[in-house]
Amino acid sequence: MSSSSAIATVTTNVFEAGKYTTVLQKVESRSTCCTAKTSPPLPVPPPKPLLIVMPCEAGEFPLLVFLHGYLLYNSFYSQLLQHIASHGFIVIAPQLYLVAGQDSSDEIKSVAATTNWLSEGLHHLLPPHVKPNLSKLGLAGHSRGGKTAFAFALEKAATTLKFSALIGVDPVDGTDKGKQTPPPVLTYVPHSFDIDMAIMVIGSGLGELKKNPLFPPCAPEGVNHKDFFKECKGPASYFVVKDYGHLDMLDDDTEGIRGKATYCLCKNGKSREPMRKFIGGVVVAFMKAYLGGDSSDLMAIKGGQTGPVELQTVEYIL
């Protein structure tokens, strides 16, 4: 089902910063905390290093676990995650690896371990007045992290907490159809995903185009957002942003060699801020709809209120 004719015209402000001020906190993992100068030592350190972004004000907030893209640092998403947190969410972004091969099986296990840790260790890291609502939990991932999020959902790993919302931000399952990275997620059977949660897939219009002849596209046809959405069942939402690329939701200033490479490897839009604001806003709207029971912002976006960007595709499955 595609179109917005049946949706009432309403407005939304999710593309701008929310009412909460935010703070970022970096946390070392079990493997590094013994050598890190942590005072006092963490009672239950996480299985992977974390970037936690949370509101400063008092309240009980839903959680979003966000998985970074291939060979990227979780810190490259700081501005995006702050945008989401400013609307009343706690965002947990594990650094799944620093160097990785093609197989993402270990990343899937790390997501399960991090999820199980949340109920044991997260409260030790939050101020007393900031409380996580562990019954309202979303999972999102970008690029390879999007593939990992879907793979985790499909594996139905036994975890102590249950996710209710799944978000793929320009997910990629390999370099081409038939060249999927293990474990493959796509089966090319329409509506075959056996996932018992609401799903949103966000695609980039420029992701399947080459930046230059020396490098393949960052989100190749046959293994990208189009294919992920084709395998979704309802409820599922699908947005493709025109004129923006695969890495255009990252921070404006991504430091180091990897950070500089993010401007060189993928076809990009004119600037990152519009894409980042849209993705932050639509994630907030989706989480509010399926974790908070308020679908007004998501309906507004489906109805044409797309903020700083133009969408080339809007589809949804009820």
Side-chain angles (χ1 to χ4, degrees):
M1 180 177 181
S2 175
S3 79
S4 57
S5 58
I7 301 175
T9 301
V10 290
T11 58
T12 177
N13 63 354
V14 292
F15 303 118
E16 300 301 327
K19 67 179 182 179
Y20 296 96
T21 52
T22 61
V23 60
L24 289 82
Q25 181 178 354
K26 291 186 177 182
V27 182
E28 298 294 341
S29 65
R30 291 170 188 160
S31 60
T32 57
C33 67
C34 57
T35 58
K37 295 180 179 179
T38 305
S39 180
L42 292 177
V44 188
K48 290 289 180 180
L50 301 178
L51 178 65
I52 301 176
V53 191
M54 71 189 98
C56 293
E57 292 83 355
E60 183 180 55
F61 304 102
L63 268 70
L64 177 67
V65 176
F66 186 92
L67 311 179
H68 61 84
Y70 185 54
L71 296 181
L72 298 177
Y73 296 124
N74 54 7
S75 60
F76 288 176
Y77 300 87
S78 294
Q79 289 176 281
L80 172 64
L81 303 187
Q82 284 179 290
H83 183 125
I84 296 168
S86 75
H87 286 269
F89 296 94
I90 299 171
V91 187
I92 311 295
Q95 185 66 47
L96 296 173
Y97 55 83
L98 296 177
V99 179
Q102 290 192 334
D103 195 316
S104 59
S105 298
D106 286 344
E107 293 143 60
I108 299 167
K109 295 175 184 176
S110 294
V111 175
T114 299
T115 303
N116 289 333
W117 170 85
L118 291 173
S119 57
E120 300 174 349
L122 180 60
H123 65 280
H124 294 294
L125 298 172
L126 303 180
H129 61 277
V130 176
K131 300 185 182 302
N133 187 338
L134 297 178
S135 67
K136 296 183 177 182
L137 192 59
L139 176 63
H142 168 232
S143 191
R144 174 163 162 153
K147 168 200 170 84
T148 301
F150 272 84
F152 171 83
L154 288 164
E155 279 198 1
K156 302 185 184 301
T159 54
T160 56
L161 300 174
K162 178 179 172 58
F163 289 95
S164 301
L166 175 64
I167 302 166
V169 180
D170 222 16
V172 179
D173 193 23
T175 58
D176 201 350
K177 187 173 182 179
K179 297 181 180 179
Q180 295 164 261
T181 51
V185 170
L186 298 170
T187 64
Y188 303 99
V189 177
H191 311 302
S192 60
F193 282 159
D194 181 17
I195 297 174
D196 56 347
M197 63 182 91
I199 301 174
M200 178 170 66
V201 178
I202 307 166
S204 63
L206 302 180
E208 58 191 28
L209 303 179
K210 290 184 177 182
K211 172 80 169 181
N212 61 59
L214 298 178
F215 299 107
C218 289
E221 287 190 88
V223 288
N224 67 14
H225 53 89
K226 297 176 187 175
D227 307 282
F228 276 82
F229 182 69
K230 286 177 183 177
E231 299 196 27
C232 291
K233 299 177 183 178
S237 303
Y238 179 42
F239 304 96
V240 182
V241 185
K242 185 179 180 182
D243 298 328
Y244 288 90
H246 185 65
L247 298 177
D248 282 339
M249 74 295 299
L250 300 182
D251 292 354
D252 291 325
D253 184 14
T254 45
E255 298 180 347
I257 295 174
R258 295 190 191 191
K260 290 179 172 59
T262 64
Y263 278 101
C264 303
L265 297 177
C266 301
K267 184 85 171 171
N268 302 318
K270 291 182 179 179
S271 67
R272 289 178 170 176
E273 184 180 32
M275 178 70 152
R276 189 170 58 238
K277 281 189 170 185
F278 174 78
I279 291 180
V282 77
V283 168
V284 167
F286 186 75
M287 295 275 285
K288 286 174 66 176
Y290 289 103
L291 298 184
D294 178 5
S295 61
S296 58
D297 291 307
L298 186 61
M299 296 294 281
I301 296 170
K302 290 177 178 178
Q305 302 293 319
T306 61
V309 303
E310 180 182 349
L311 299 182
Q312 67 185 49
T313 303
V314 178
E315 296 184 27
Y316 48 97
I317 305 170
L318 300 177

